[in-house]
Amino acid sequence: MRRDKEAANRTIQQLLHIARSHFTEYGFVGTALEAIVQEADLTRGALYHHFSNKKEMFQVVFEAIHQEVAERIETESAQCRDEWEQLKLGCLAFLTAAVEPQNKRIMLIDGPSVLGWEAWRLTDETHSMRLLREQLLLMEQNGSLKQLPLDAMVHLISGGLNELALWLALQPNHEQSMKDCEQVIATYLEAIKK
């Protein structure tokens, strides 16, 4: 029984790895399940045993990317002890990860259109926005944050970062645009510092 479960998990991971590659390169619309199963050397029946359709497979890949981005935020922000620097590093880690080629199309372009904004926002709230809320709450409790409504502040910063990521993904001079983002983020964070 355990061997069957391990084999099923390996098959699922293989399918998701290939699907992510195809969704990245061809987008949701351009990805064919037949191409995924051929590359995995499996049958369509094997794929449908684990996923009911392409959208479900896309959603699993999409959620995995959000989880990876959240892990990057935690890793980057943990590089220092200063809570303001942690917040800034977390914001920049989100932007950097969101616009990477293996994430950009799935997370920023196809995610909202395939899954809808409500599902996109729910996933964001579960991962990146949750970390932002936790950091701001800690800063509020430590008395280093201006007394502003926390929920509104979380949504403002998160929404701003999402819009910055969309903008950054389209810029031809990525390096300069990222510097511009850093400057704007640092200036905004100064404004909410107590």
Side-chain angles (χ1 to χ4, degrees), residues 8-73:
N9 284 337
R10 279 195 304 275
T11 299
I12 290 168
Q13 292 310 310
Q14 178 188 20
L15 287 167
L16 291 173
H17 176 74
I18 294 168
R20 181 173 181 168
S21 171
H22 283 244
F23 290 138
T24 299
E25 188 170 346
Y26 309 113
F28 179 80
V29 172
T31 294
L33 292 180
E34 190 60 41
I36 293 171
V37 295
Q38 282 180 354
E39 190 172 328
D41 197 25
L42 296 169
T43 64
R44 280 181 84 96
L47 183 140
Y48 286 120
H49 178 72
H50 301 292
F51 302 97
S52 59
N53 55 39
K54 182 167 75 167
K55 185 176 178 180
E56 181 184 351
M57 180 178 270
F58 179 84
Q59 184 163 3
V60 173
V61 169
F62 174 78
E63 288 175 3
I65 289 172
H66 272 272
Q67 177 63 40
E68 290 170 13
V69 170
E71 289 167 5
R72 289 265 300 276
I73 292 168

Side-chain angles (χ1 to χ4, degrees), residues 27-194:
F28 179 80
V29 172
T31 294
L33 292 180
E34 190 60 41
I36 293 171
V37 295
Q38 282 180 354
E39 190 172 328
D41 197 25
L42 296 169
T43 64
R44 280 181 84 96
L47 183 140
Y48 286 120
H49 178 72
H50 301 292
F51 302 97
S52 59
N53 55 39
K54 182 167 75 167
K55 185 176 178 180
E56 181 184 351
M57 180 178 270
F58 179 84
Q59 184 163 3
V60 173
V61 169
F62 174 78
E63 288 175 3
I65 289 172
H66 272 272
Q67 177 63 40
E68 290 170 13
V69 170
E71 289 167 5
R72 289 265 300 276
I73 292 168
E74 287 183 302
T75 300
E76 292 295 318
S77 63
Q79 291 183 22
C80 67
R81 291 181 177 247
D82 179 77
E83 57 193 16
W84 285 99
E85 191 64 22
Q86 288 174 340
L87 180 59
K88 186 175 106 182
L89 290 174
C91 291
L92 295 174
F94 172 82
L95 286 180
T96 301
V99 299
E100 287 177 345
Q102 71 274 17
N103 298 336
K104 177 171 58 175
R105 186 172 200 162
I106 296 168
M107 187 174 173
L108 301 176
I109 300 165
D110 286 349
S113 65
V114 172
L115 303 173
W117 274 110
E118 190 173 319
W120 193 97
R121 287 188 74 237
L122 183 61
T123 303
D124 187 45
E125 284 178 20
T126 304
H127 298 290
S128 300
M129 192 185 282
R130 174 185 55 80
L131 295 174
L132 177 61
R133 178 183 303 283
E134 289 171 3
Q135 182 70 16
L136 290 173
L137 182 59
L138 174 70
M139 295 166 78
E140 182 182 69
Q141 291 167 347
N142 290 342
S144 60
L145 191 63
K146 284 185 180 173
Q147 289 188 338
L148 296 166
L150 186 67
D151 284 341
M153 198 175 349
V154 169
H155 281 83
L156 175 69
I157 296 171
S158 178
L161 290 171
N162 289 328
E163 282 297 319
L164 274 176
L166 287 167
W167 174 77
L168 187 59
L170 299 173
Q171 298 311 301
N173 186 343
H174 179 80
E175 191 174 316
Q176 181 58 50
S177 298
M178 190 63 185
K179 286 179 185 175
D180 293 345
C181 291
E182 286 182 47
Q183 181 183 6
V184 168
I185 289 168
T187 303
Y188 175 78
L189 295 182
E190 276 298 317
I192 62 171
K193 202 183 259 193
K194 191 169 185 181

